[in-house]
Amino acid sequence: MATILEPGQIEAAASSPPFLHLPPRNLFTLRAQGLERLAEGHPLADYLRLMAGLCHLQQEMLDDLPVDEMPDPERLKACQQHGLPPFAADSLVREGDWMPFLYALLLRYKPPPQPAVKSAINTLLGANPGQLKAWAVALVSGQFTLLPAEVVPFLGAALQVAWSHWLLDTPNLELKPGDSLSQCPACGSPAMAGVIRHRGKFNGLRYLVCSLCACEWHVVRVKCVYCEQSKGLEYVSLDDDRYAADQAPLRAEVCPGCNSYLKLLYLENDAEAEPLSTDLTSLLLDMRLEQEGYQRLAPNLLLAPGGE
């Protein structure tokens, strides 16, 4: 039976923004290119190029999967029926479906000569499955102090490939908003950053980008994604000049209510910008805001807080 919409309902439906955007299949290539572009002249150039190489490997793995098994479809269906994230990281990470991605990454990776990188790879290769799961649980739950800082980028990279694969290759997904604005509707992980889009009907809309699976979901602007208040929000960049800050492609939305912040990427000021790479190249902004007493609640799985 067809539903007849009144004129006002038609206008509302037409103006309602899409809730979700899936990541592009060349997601990791775009990240690698962003890191390579931003590494030029950057104080952390060596680290950024190291992460760019890791992102290239992530793309190779996504294009040539080590395993093609998917999570139990009945489980996904049950989660969807109950409005839960179908790829819930806090539970799936305790199972073994993601581990072939880690082993494949470790075997395919050609480590550069830096001792710290070789140590990280050897640490992961020498760990038993139980230890690897424990570290992965700590990582997706934001407990970075419970695993060696040196293994974070490599473990995080493997988890990202697994979850992005499941997200992209599962047909007929129906995702609903999470329990909080900052929670990914696909896997329940926290957002890494926000993107302000600049083209067509999406112009000016804010989408949050998942730190794990890279799903993007719409959240209205000028609202703290953590405490949901709008009062007193400020927008700061690395440029102290107020006019220049208003034109900066990267700004932090700072909330005085809960003393938190979220980085926002304005594509109208840099159409080639990519969230993960821009985040890694703007750590000075994190340091500044931390010194001012604000906390970052948005993880980047290729970086352990407080280290490179």
Side-chain angles (χ1 to χ4, degrees):
M1 179 177 177
T3 300
I4 299 176
L5 297 180
E6 298 298 328
Q9 293 175 304
I10 295 174
E11 293 168 6
S15 62
S16 179
F19 174 54
L20 287 171
H21 285 291
L22 296 183
R25 292 209 72 94
N26 64 340
L27 163 70
F28 300 112
T29 293
L30 294 176
R31 288 180 173 177
Q33 292 172 344
L35 287 164
E36 290 164 347
R37 177 169 68 98
L38 294 168
E40 295 298 326
H42 196 282
L44 297 177
D46 289 343
Y47 169 73
L48 297 176
R49 292 190 179 102
L50 178 68
M51 292 301 99
L54 191 56
C55 288
H56 279 302
L57 178 54
Q58 287 179 294
Q59 188 66 55
E60 292 175 18
M61 293 174 59
L62 189 62
D63 294 339
D64 181 18
L65 296 167
V67 292
D68 58 7
E69 285 98 353
M70 302 289 288
D72 181 6
E74 290 301 318
R75 173 183 181 153
L76 300 183
K77 183 178 179 181
C79 288
Q80 289 180 301
Q81 288 175 340
H82 290 87
L84 301 174
F87 308 110
D90 57 356
S91 57
L92 275 179
V93 75
R94 290 176 165 80
E95 302 174 15
D97 292 347
W98 60 271
M99 297 190 72
F101 291 86
L102 175 61
Y103 293 130
L105 183 144
L106 297 175
L107 292 175
R108 298 183 191 184
Y109 186 61
K110 304 292 190 296
Q114 289 98 321
V117 177
K118 291 184 177 180
S119 173
I121 299 302
N122 289 334
T123 296
L124 288 167
L125 286 172
N128 62 52
Q131 180 65 79
L132 293 174
K133 287 183 181 179
W135 285 342
V137 169
L139 182 55
V140 300
S141 61
Q143 301 180 78
F144 286 87
T145 58
L146 298 183
L147 71 163
E150 63 183 6
V151 309
V152 166
F154 305 99
L155 182 56
L159 293 171
Q160 286 178 339
V161 177
W163 261 262
S164 294
H165 157 52
W166 295 335
L167 175 66
L168 287 169
D169 294 326
T170 298
N172 304 318
L173 268 179
E174 295 181 6
L175 301 177
K176 299 179 181 179
D179 291 334
S180 69
L181 297 181
S182 64
Q183 182 187 49
C184 174
C187 69
S189 297
M192 174 183 61
V195 172
I196 310 300
R197 293 183 172 268
H198 70 307
R199 289 178 178 166
K201 63 182 179 179
F202 306 126
N203 183 46
L205 297 180
R206 174 168 71 169
Y207 284 83
L208 302 191
V209 183
C210 179
S211 55
L212 180 59
C213 70
C215 180
E216 297 185 17
W217 63 102
H218 176 250
V219 174
V220 295
R221 293 173 63 175
V222 196
K223 175 182 283 191
C224 176
V225 302
Y226 301 114
C227 70
E228 301 192 20
Q229 76 168 22
S230 300
K231 185 178 180 180
L233 293 181
E234 294 187 64
Y235 297 84
V236 301
S237 74
L238 283 171
D239 199 314
D240 290 326
D241 180 80
R242 173 60 63 182
Y243 175 78
D246 289 342
Q247 305 302 313
L250 179 73
R251 295 165 235 171
E253 183 177 76
V254 180
C255 178
C258 62
N259 290 320
S260 67
Y261 68 93
L262 178 74
K263 290 180 181 176
L264 300 176
L265 196 57
Y266 291 76
L267 297 183
E268 64 177 351
N269 296 324
D270 186 354
E272 297 182 9
E274 187 281 321
L276 181 140
S277 54
T278 304
D279 180 38
L280 289 179
T281 55
S282 59
L283 299 181
L284 285 176
L285 182 57
D286 294 289
M287 294 171 61
R288 171 183 162 184
L289 290 169
E290 181 181 5
Q291 290 173 352
E292 294 177 4
Y294 294 103
Q295 58 180 335
R296 172 173 175 153
L297 303 177
N300 188 317
L301 297 189
L302 297 192
L303 179 76
E308 295 182 17

